[in-house]
Amino acid sequence: MKKFYLLFILSIVFGHDIAAQENLLSKEEAVVTTLQNNFNIVVAKNNVEIAENNTGILNSGYLPTLTGTAGANYNRDDSTIEFPGRLDDNGNPFPDVELEKAEAQRYNTAIRADYVLFDGLGRFYNYKRLKEQYQLSELQARETIENTILQLFSVYFEIARLTENQKVLLQALEISQDRIKRAEYSFEYGQNTQLDILNAQVDVTNDSINLLNANQNLANAKRDLNVILNQDLNNTFKVDTVVRFIPRLQLDEFVKLTNNNNVAVLQSERSLAINDYDIKVSRSGYLPTIGLTGAYGWNLNQSAASAFFPGTNTNNLNFAVGANLTWNLFDGGGTTVRVKNAKISYANQELTRKQIELEVNRDILNALAIYENRLNIYQIQEQNVVTNRNNFERSEEQFKLGRITSIEFRQAQINLLNAQTNKNLAKYDAKLAELQLLQLTGQLLNIEL
């Protein structure tokens, strides 16, 4: 049994040593890799590129259109022309005329240019609308990036928490293993019973299971992070467990500028601008459209000979320019309806913007309160660890002197273990609350974590 426990502990410690040799994945490297590889971010960037293409001159409607046409026709006829009842000068029936392989060919080519000089300012405001749509796409991409970065650090700090818990559980296992040795020595010298050895072995088993579960959870969390980073799922690494909190004065400054930086508020403003341009585009239907046209063409017509006329070849070049004005004086009320609906949509978007600002301000207050609460809990848990460590050290001294039982010592050990893991949880909970607050203030991508 003693050999079994020794091999079991060595296997766990050896695995921990391998993990300690992994390369460090810093927060900065994790962010850079995510920005480059994450699928959602790549898709968001592609959508921004599409919006940018839509704002180009080629999609503005300000360029003329050129249309080229060409055609060719070939006809071949075999004809017999009869003249029933018709007599020649001698009184004989007029002979039939046969035309064989009578060929006719037609060729044509032309190029036409059309340009709209004025369309009621519709394309002007539509171009402005596309510019706003591009800015909205950038904000949507930023929102995707912020959500992904927040997800990244949620998993990153979970790995950090499990890593610190792993160290705590390993220390607990080493202490329990040392208890077995002490219990065996004391049993050999008749100072305790076999029950003390069995109790120590039970504690070693429990601590070993807890450490194995922690190792498994840590491996799972690393695979979750590899998915976000879009890299090999079996890639191994260790993370930075150092956490730095932003000074409260700086957070207060961020909170004051929330409405200027929050991505949801900025998106609502861009949507409102788009709705405003929709009204102006709809109003363009009240105004006339003025356009220019120009055409240049070539035609060749080779006609076949007939019974009475010889074949002819006609070669024609033509050039034409023109201007046109179109004014839809009454379109059945369609333009009026579109303008009214666009104004209603604008009013709805204005209400939506106010609603978003109200919700963001509420979320800011909630996030700030949650952050302060979690930070206070973390500070309390830090002090709790100090208290339980002092209690454990004194209990350990008393246990070695035989003044307390192994059960009392084990309870002091469990209290310290719980205090340490609770402190780790409180620390990363507070940091995540801070990150959520930074996202709401629009500063998540502007600060160094």
Side-chain angles (χ1 to χ4, degrees):
M1 179 65 71
K2 178 179 178 181
K3 182 178 181 181
F4 168 76
Y5 274 104
L6 181 60
L7 292 175
F8 186 64
I9 301 306
L10 288 176
S11 65
I12 296 178
V13 174
F14 181 71
H16 176 75
D17 290 339
I18 292 177
Q21 298 172 3
E22 296 171 342
N23 294 326
L24 174 66
L25 176 66
S26 67
K27 301 181 184 72
E28 293 77 12
E29 290 174 337
V31 170
V32 171
T33 303
T34 300
L35 293 177
Q36 291 176 346
N37 299 338
N38 183 268
F39 289 119
N40 292 333
I41 292 179
V42 173
V43 170
K45 290 179 178 178
N46 289 340
N47 290 335
V48 171
E49 186 175 352
I50 291 174
E52 184 177 12
N53 292 338
N54 289 336
T55 61
I57 188 66
L58 297 178
N59 193 49
S60 65
Y62 280 103
L63 296 180
T65 60
L66 295 175
T67 305
T69 59
N73 291 284
Y74 172 82
N75 292 325
R76 173 180 166 174
D77 297 320
D78 294 324
S79 305
T80 299
I81 303 173
E82 298 177 350
F83 304 92
R86 183 177 177 182
L87 303 176
D88 60 12
D89 295 339
N90 297 323
N92 297 320
F94 202 87
D96 296 341
V97 178
E98 294 185 358
L99 296 177
E100 295 183 354
K101 299 181 179 178
E103 295 179 342
Q105 302 176 46
R106 294 185 182 89
Y107 303 96
N108 66 83
T109 181
I111 184 169
R112 177 186 174 92
D114 294 276
Y115 184 68
V116 177
L117 287 176
F118 180 75
D119 68 342
L121 298 177
R123 62 183 174 182
F124 173 76
Y125 290 121
N126 187 61
Y127 182 68
K128 293 286 188 180
R129 184 186 185 282
L130 290 173
K131 288 289 187 181
E132 292 292 340
Q133 187 66 50
Y134 169 68
Q135 295 183 26
L136 179 60
S137 297
E138 285 189 317
L139 291 172
Q140 291 170 342
R142 173 185 152 188
E143 182 180 25
T144 299
I145 293 173
E146 286 183 355
N147 291 334
T148 304
I149 294 300
L150 188 62
Q151 181 187 17
L152 164 70
F153 280 110
S154 296
V155 180
Y156 187 95
F157 287 134
E158 176 65 7
I159 294 174
R161 183 184 73 85
L162 292 172
T163 300
E164 291 197 305
N165 284 354
Q166 185 187 57
K167 295 178 181 179
V168 171
L169 292 171
L170 182 62
Q171 292 173 356
L173 180 60
E174 291 172 349
I175 292 172
S176 297
Q177 180 64 19
D178 184 66
R179 276 182 53 209
I180 290 181
K181 295 179 182 179
R182 289 184 174 275
E184 289 174 344
Y185 291 149
S186 298
F187 178 75
E188 290 177 1
Y189 289 99
Q191 296 179 355
N192 60 16
T193 64
Q194 185 73 26
L195 181 61
D196 291 325
I197 299 176
L198 294 175
N199 287 336
Q201 289 176 347
V202 168
D203 292 338
V204 167
T205 299
N206 292 332
D207 292 341
S208 301
I209 292 174
N210 292 335
L211 183 57
L212 286 173
N213 289 332
N215 291 341
Q216 182 61 57
N217 292 335
L218 181 59
N220 293 344
K222 288 183 178 181
R223 279 188 282 271
D224 291 339
L225 188 59
N226 282 329
V227 171
I228 298 175
L229 299 175
N230 187 20
Q231 60 185 13
D232 185 0
L233 295 179
N234 295 318
N235 187 36
T236 59
F237 49 83
K238 59 182 179 180
V239 300
D240 185 6
T241 58
V242 176
V243 171
R244 301 179 183 87
F245 293 97
I246 297 176
R248 178 57 190 267
L249 290 177
Q250 189 175 0
L251 284 177
D252 290 339
E253 289 297 321
F254 291 159
V255 170
K256 292 178 182 178
L257 300 175
T258 295
N259 288 338
N260 295 331
N261 298 311
N262 179 271
V263 68
V265 174
L266 295 177
Q267 284 184 35
S268 67
E269 292 176 353
R270 295 280 71 77
S271 296
L272 190 64
I274 290 173
N275 285 121
D276 183 49
Y277 285 125
D278 285 338
I279 297 175
K280 295 176 179 178
V281 170
S282 298
R283 283 175 175 168
S284 67
Y286 290 126
L287 299 177
T289 299
I290 302 174
L292 295 177
T293 61
Y296 180 80
W298 169 77
N299 294 274
L300 175 61
N301 187 0
Q302 296 177 338
S303 63
S306 66
F308 304 100
F309 300 98
T312 61
N313 292 339
T314 302
N315 196 335
N316 181 43
L317 294 175
N318 63 78
F319 174 75
V321 293
N324 58 75
L325 182 147
T326 303
W327 197 337
N328 196 346
L329 297 178
F330 182 70
D331 63 353
T335 299
T336 301
V337 171
R338 286 191 292 271
V339 171
K340 289 182 178 179
N341 289 342
K343 289 181 178 179
I344 295 173
S345 296
Y346 180 87
N348 287 341
Q349 185 58 44
E350 177 68 21
L351 296 174
T352 300
R353 183 183 66 83
K354 293 180 180 179
Q355 179 70 19
I356 289 175
E357 288 182 354
L358 183 63
E359 291 176 351
V360 168
N361 290 332
R362 175 206 61 192
D363 293 342
I364 283 287
L365 294 177
N366 290 344
L368 190 59
I370 292 173
Y371 170 68
E372 291 175 343
N373 184 61
R374 291 183 179 179
L375 194 60
N376 290 333
I377 292 175
Y378 171 55
Q379 294 170 351
I380 293 173
Q381 292 292 358
E382 279 188 312
Q383 183 59 45
N384 191 37
V385 168
V386 174
T387 301
N388 278 279
R389 180 175 286 110
N390 292 335
N391 178 63
F392 172 76
E393 291 173 353
R394 293 179 182 179
S395 297
E396 187 177 30
E397 293 175 0
Q398 296 294 316
F399 177 69
K400 291 178 180 179
L401 295 174
R403 295 178 181 175
I404 63 174
T405 65
S406 61
I407 296 177
E408 293 172 318
F409 174 71
R410 177 63 176 177
Q411 186 59 50
Q413 182 187 11
I414 291 176
N415 291 340
L416 176 59
L417 176 64
N418 291 336
Q420 289 172 323
T421 55
N422 289 338
K423 185 204 74 171
N424 293 338
L425 178 61
K427 177 172 70 172
Y428 294 112
D429 278 349
K431 186 60 181 178
L432 288 176
E434 181 189 82
L435 294 181
Q436 291 169 349
L437 179 60
L438 289 173
Q439 183 188 22
L440 288 170
T441 59
Q443 301 293 336
L444 181 60
L445 304 180
N446 300 330
I447 53 98
E448 183 178 352
L449 298 175

